[in-house]
Amino acid sequence: MFRFRLLHRCWGRAMLGAAMVLGVTIAAGAAEPTVPYVPTPQEVVERMLEIAKVGPQDYLIDLGSGDGRIVVTAAKQRGARGFGVDLNPVRIEESIENAAKAGVSDRVTFQQRNLFETDLSDATVITMYLLPRVNLDLRPKLLELKPGTRLVSHDFSMDDWKPDAFAEMDVKEKYGTAPGSSSIYFWIVPARVSGSWQWQLAVGGKPLAYELALQQKYQMISGTVRVGGRSVKLEDARLRGDQISFSFSVVVNGNPLKHEFSGRVMDKGIEGTVNLAGSRTRGQLEWKAARSVKAGQSAGATLVAWAR
Ligand SMILES: C[S@@+](CC[C@H](N)C(=O)[O-])C[C@H]1O[C@@H](n2cnc3c(N)ncnc32)[C@H](O)[C@@H]1O
């Protein structure tokens, strides 16, 4: 662990040192490179694509794409379409040549462009090998993407946005021929669910009203539900992209009733199913939840609570 931290500190310093030597700017939106060129070793590229489960349906964007290796590998080995942006025109020329050599020019494009001014809305996967500060500057834009968009970063985290998956690997040739260790961080952009939700279910033939209050920090969710005059805490609350699930037990008509909800968060609400299990009631029902609208408030206004 100590070796890992030390290597990372050295790498951070190496990157920052290179940035100073090259006279590059470490600032969001700057028209000069925000990060020096250091290629991701091929074995790490392949692991990043494996962790993100990149496939033929994907459109991958590499931010600061260097010689294009991530985009080209995604197209050649996994059938994905891809797009790379880099400020350095030499890197773009190399990428176009590499795509032609790999026979994937019909599925990939490269443009000389500032990554901060790149439209990411069509991406299903975004890859990065940048710097911690640059990741943080990008974070608000990434959190605005379609829920379910997958993000993979080589070596650098997103500070308090904890990854959904993490891997570490020894690499024979990390910096040129020198060995090192690589970290791979993986996130799934979460839907925004914080606020109040309501729905009704017909339980034992009678309509029952539910009011859910959800708190959210990135993909971490918690909350309480009010039903039949009682409030209970959610158990096993999970959010993965637009997929939400949670459970709780509450006394209904004098008997404990276990509820297990799962559904998909959409613009107009949540839709899914609930499994009910109690001594008198058992089975599956359709579940449709809508945002609660309080007097003087629009449904959109309940969307405000979002981590940083
Ligand atoms: C560490 S390299 C990573 C290259 C490639 N993604 C890889 O993993 O092999 C970072 C790349 O980002 C490019 N870059 C730095 N700042 C940029 C910016 N603001 N916009 C676009 N590209 C940038 C650099 O020119 C460099 O090629």
Side-chain angles (χ1 to χ4, degrees), residues 59 61 81 119-125 145-146:
Y59 179 56
I61 298 183
R81 289 177 305 116
D119 178 7
L120 307 178
S121 58
D122 286 339
T124 57
V125 179
L145 293 173
K146 273 193 298 290

Side-chain angles (χ1 to χ4, degrees), residues 100-115:
K101 273 189 217 149
V104 295
S105 303
D106 58 332
R107 292 209 296 286
V108 303
T109 46
F110 295 94
Q111 272 182 18
Q112 184 191 354
R113 157 152 354 158
N114 189 341
L115 62 90

Side-chain angles (χ1 to χ4, degrees), residues 26-88:
I26 310 289
E32 299 155 66
T34 40
V35 185
Y37 176 55
V38 181
T40 296
Q42 186 61 25
E43 61 196 287
V44 180
V45 170
E46 289 172 21
R47 191 76 200 282
M48 289 168 76
L49 300 177
E50 185 186 312
I51 288 173
K53 296 190 170 70
V54 173
Q57 309 77 11
D58 281 313
Y59 179 56
L60 178 148
I61 298 183
D62 187 27
L63 297 176
S65 47
D67 66 1
R69 59 183 62 198
I70 297 182
V71 175
V72 168
T73 307
K76 189 167 174 71
Q77 294 187 1
R78 294 178 168 264
R81 289 177 305 116
F83 178 48
V85 292
D86 204 292
L87 273 184
N88 188 334

